[in-house]
Amino acid sequence: MPLTPLDIHNKEFNKGFRGYDEDEVNEFLDQVIKDYELIIREKKEMEEKLNEMNSRLGHFTNIEETLNKSIVIAQEAGEEVRRNAQKEAKLIIKEAEKNADRIINESLSKARKIALEIEELKKQSKVFRTRFKMLIEAQLDMLNTDDWDHLLEYELDSTELKATAREEEDSLA
């Protein structure tokens, strides 16, 4: 068991022949008691400070652990966001490629259809041109016939016209 200031104070020494001066010993013991009490008080204060520091250290250690966990969680969340963004970007690109392929295929199909329609219109225009040319040539042939000259030479008397018109009226009635 450790020595206390009270133990020092109550300690009694046997007196011997030619021993130490009692007053001197008592003064020294009083000084030892004061110094010892001071050391004990300082030790107690140091222990209290140490306990407080250990408590604060524990608190800061908890904060550090919490911050480390938060950093890890933030990094994981960032990675997850990055992975999701990459997945979404790939899906968007894939969808855009599908749409581009569809648009290209539709455009090619429309272009083929238009080309076929153009060819059909060319054929129809050739047929129309040929028929129209034949019609005009037939009309020119009619104009070039002698029948026109014969019609121009034909004279009709107005009395004959009136008689023909009456006959037609009578037959209708």
Side-chain angles (χ1 to χ4, degrees):
M1 186 163 157
L3 190 62
T4 65
L6 192 57
D7 291 336
I8 296 170
H9 182 65
N10 291 334
K11 178 68 175 167
E12 292 193 18
F13 297 96
N14 294 328
K15 294 185 183 187
F17 177 70
R18 294 192 67 184
Y20 294 107
D21 182 1
E22 191 176 331
D23 289 334
E24 232 179 272
V25 170
N26 284 337
E27 278 180 34
F28 181 74
L29 286 176
D30 286 342
Q31 184 63 41
V32 169
I33 290 171
K34 285 180 189 174
D35 289 347
Y36 195 67
E37 284 177 345
L38 180 64
I39 290 172
I40 289 175
R41 242 183 280 123
E42 286 177 356
K43 180 184 176 233
K44 188 175 181 183
E45 287 174 6
M46 292 293 179
E47 285 175 349
E48 288 174 1
K49 282 184 181 180
L50 180 63
N51 287 338
E52 182 184 336
M53 293 296 172
N54 283 336
S55 173
R56 289 181 69 191
L57 179 63
H59 174 71
F60 288 122
T61 303
N62 286 340
I63 290 174
E64 180 184 19
E65 288 174 5
T66 303
L67 288 174
N68 285 337
K69 287 178 183 176
S70 296
I71 289 170
V72 169
I73 289 171
Q75 287 172 337
E76 289 172 353
E79 280 298 313
E80 184 68 24
V81 167
R82 186 184 61 77
R83 282 192 300 270
N84 287 341
Q86 284 178 338
K87 285 179 186 176
E88 189 172 338
K90 285 180 183 177
L91 289 175
I92 289 171
I93 289 170
K94 201 178 261 188
E95 188 67 27
E97 287 172 348
K98 279 185 193 176
N99 285 340
D101 288 344
R102 180 184 51 78
I103 290 170
I104 289 170
N105 289 336
E106 286 176 0
S107 297
L108 288 173
S109 175
K110 286 180 182 178
R112 285 186 201 110
K113 185 177 177 184
I114 290 171
L116 291 174
E117 288 176 1
I118 288 171
E119 289 303 314
E120 183 63 28
L121 287 173
K122 283 181 181 179
K123 287 178 186 176
Q124 288 177 6
S125 69
K126 284 180 183 178
V127 168
F128 174 77
R129 183 173 178 252
T130 304
R131 287 182 182 171
F132 190 63
K133 185 178 175 184
M134 287 172 47
L135 176 69
I136 289 176
E137 286 174 352
Q139 293 297 319
L140 280 174
D141 286 345
M142 273 180 35
L143 285 175
N144 289 333
T145 63
D146 293 334
D147 291 343
W148 285 100
D149 293 335
H150 179 66
L151 282 175
L152 291 175
E153 291 173 4
Y154 186 72
E155 289 187 17
L156 195 57
D157 185 2
S158 62
T159 53
E160 284 179 26
L161 283 176
K162 289 181 186 172
T164 311
R166 274 191 218 135
E167 287 174 9
E168 286 177 8
E169 286 178 8
D170 290 343
S171 65
L172 291 173

